[in-house]
Amino acid sequence: MSHHAPDLDFLPLNLAILTVSDSRTAENDASGDLLAERATAAGHQVVAREICSDNRYLLRAVFSHWIADAEVQVVISTGGTGVTGRDNTPEALMPLLDKEIAGFGELFRSLSFGEIGASTIQSRTLAGMANATLLFCLPGSTGACRTAWDGILGPQLDRRTQPCNFAQLIERFSER
């Protein structure tokens, strides 16, 4: 089990949050709000936030912009991970990845199974890295975002989480 190392200081990270939706606005983006609130409450900085329609080419443009921005260390998207014809977030992101973090989707579905049962199979959550930027694609529901943040992202984006976490490795992502 993981634990916090009391001798390490918290390292705030710069996050960008992307809501993938044809219907949400800044006024009703509950999932984006939850992620932004959780991130800032943890001590991170939300340096960019956007809502984009579920069009794989528009999504690629937003992801590419943030991947190229040295200020953005972590991108979290919410929405577009289901199985309908309009769900394109994984297809938009996959060609941009340098590395996939396969265990993220597996762990998310394992946690989610306890909450929604076999319906979790319809979630195509995805994580990876590109240009030393961590990228996470979450489902659009507020419950799924809460599960992902509380069970995976919160601990993994905190360098005090031991025995290992993404935050402690972030400076090494650009090693060649």
Side-chain angles (χ1 to χ4, degrees), residues 20 38 46 48 53 69 73 75 77 79 105 111 152 156 165 167 169:
V20 179
R38 289 279 208 276
V46 177
S53 66
D69 185 340
Q73 297 170 292
V75 175
S77 70
L111 295 172
I152 307 171
Q156 280 296 298
N165 59 75
L169 298 173

Side-chain angles (χ1 to χ4, degrees), residues 67-104:
I67 289 167
D69 185 340
E71 182 182 21
V72 176
Q73 297 170 292
V74 180
V75 175
I76 304 172
S77 70
T78 172
T81 63
V83 296
T84 72
R86 293 286 302 152
D87 293 319
N88 292 299
T89 307
E91 289 75 20
L93 184 58
M94 281 189 279
L96 303 176
L97 295 179
D98 297 328
K99 293 183 182 181
E100 184 177 352
I101 303 169
F104 178 78

Side-chain angles (χ1 to χ4, degrees), residues 27-83:
E27 291 76 34
N28 66 6
D29 180 15
S31 294
D33 289 344
L34 179 128
L35 291 168
E37 289 163 7
R38 289 279 208 276
T40 55
H44 299 297
Q45 297 174 21
V46 177
V47 296
R49 186 162 171 197
E50 196 166 321
I51 297 174
C52 182
S53 66
D54 205 340
N55 173 299
R56 77 177 64 195
Y57 303 104
L58 294 175
L59 291 170
R60 277 186 195 148
V62 175
F63 283 129
S64 293
H65 175 75
W66 286 341
I67 289 167
D69 185 340
E71 182 182 21
V72 176
Q73 297 170 292
V74 180
V75 175
I76 304 172
S77 70
T78 172
T81 63
V83 296

